[in-house]
Amino acid sequence: MDLQLDDFRLTFEENKKTVRKLSDMKDFYADQRMATRTLQLYDPTIYAVYAHESEGPGNLSYAVTVINPGDIGGEYYMTKGHFHTKPTAELYLGLEGEGILLLQDRKGKAKKLPLQPGKISYVPKDHAHRAINTGDSQLKFLAIYSSDSGHDYSTIKEKGFEERVKKK
Ligand code: PAN
Ligand code: ZN
C-alpha cells in the first residue's frame, strides 16, 4: 500500500540519549590506521540515539537514530549493530536521508535493505542489525522494539558482520 503523507513533525519525549563517537567504536572499522589517524585529529560523533524506553515484557520501546554523514577509510558511518538478547523482532521506519539496513542471521547470512524516507523494514528475530548512512546528509530513522529485547553488542564486536558497506 502507498500512503501519501503531508509533511509532518515527529515529536516524543525521550528518556535516554546515547551519543556514539569514533572513540566508542574504533574497533568496528576495517581501516584501523585511518581510525587511529582520525582520532589523533578529532573525535567525530558518528551517531546519536534518542530513545523512549519502557521496561518489562509486553511493552514497547522506540528510538530515533541520527547518523551523521561520513566515512572512515571509505567505510560509511554506521551503528555498532547488535542482536537482541531475547529473540524479538523490530520495525525500522526511514525518516530522512539515505542508507542501508544490514541484517545477518545466526549462521552469518547477510541481507541489505534500503533505509529511506517512508520505507518500513522488518528486522526478524535472531537477526543482527546495523544501519549505515550511505548519503551525504544525516540519516534519521525510527526503530520500534520490544522493551525486554535486550541488546547484545559483544557478538558483533567480536565477529563483525560478513559485509562491510564502503564507498565505491
Ligand atoms: C535501534 C538501535 C540504534 C543504535 O534503536 O539501538 O539505531 O544502534 P546500536 O544499538 O547498534 O548502537 C535498535 O535496533 N534498537 O533495538
Ligand atoms: Zn535492535
Side-chain angles (χ1 to χ4, degrees), residues 47 49 65 79-82 84 90 92 129 141 143 145 151 153:
Y47 63 100
V49 187
T65 302
T79 59
K80 286 184 168 185
H82 57 268
H84 290 165
E90 180 163 3
Y92 271 52
H129 40 289
F141 60 89
Y145 49 101
H151 293 81
Y153 291 100

Side-chain angles (χ1 to χ4, degrees), residues 16-25 43-50 66 68 80:
K16 188 179 163 193
K17 182 182 173 190
T18 308
V19 175
R20 297 278 184 224
K21 297 180 141 243
L22 179 58
S23 55
D24 300 314
M25 53 183 304
D43 188 7
T45 294
I46 309 291
Y47 63 100
V49 187
Y50 305 82
V66 179
N68 284 323
K80 286 184 168 185

Side-chain angles (χ1 to χ4, degrees), residues 132-159:
I132 299 146
N133 186 353
T134 56
D136 48 20
S137 61
Q138 287 185 324
L139 173 68
K140 300 179 186 175
F141 60 89
L142 172 73
I144 306 169
Y145 49 101
S146 186
S147 292
D148 63 343
S149 57
H151 293 81
D152 161 25
Y153 291 100
S154 54
T155 308
I156 288 300
K157 188 164 194 282
E158 282 159 27
K159 296 189 184 148

Side-chain angles (χ1 to χ4, degrees), residues 23-84:
S23 55
D24 300 314
M25 53 183 304
K26 176 177 176 283
D27 298 344
F28 288 77
Y29 285 93
D31 191 340
Q32 282 296 296
R33 249 184 58 197
M34 185 55 83
T36 305
R37 255 174 59 191
T38 305
L39 282 172
Q40 282 163 355
L41 298 172
Y42 76 126
D43 188 7
T45 294
I46 309 291
Y47 63 100
V49 187
Y50 305 82
H52 184 105
E53 296 214 321
S54 308
E55 280 179 16
N59 290 318
L60 289 175
S61 294
Y62 53 94
V64 168
T65 302
V66 179
I67 310 181
N68 284 323
D71 68 277
I72 301 294
E75 189 174 5
Y76 290 113
Y77 281 9
M78 61 190 177
T79 59
K80 286 184 168 185
H82 57 268
F83 281 98
H84 290 165

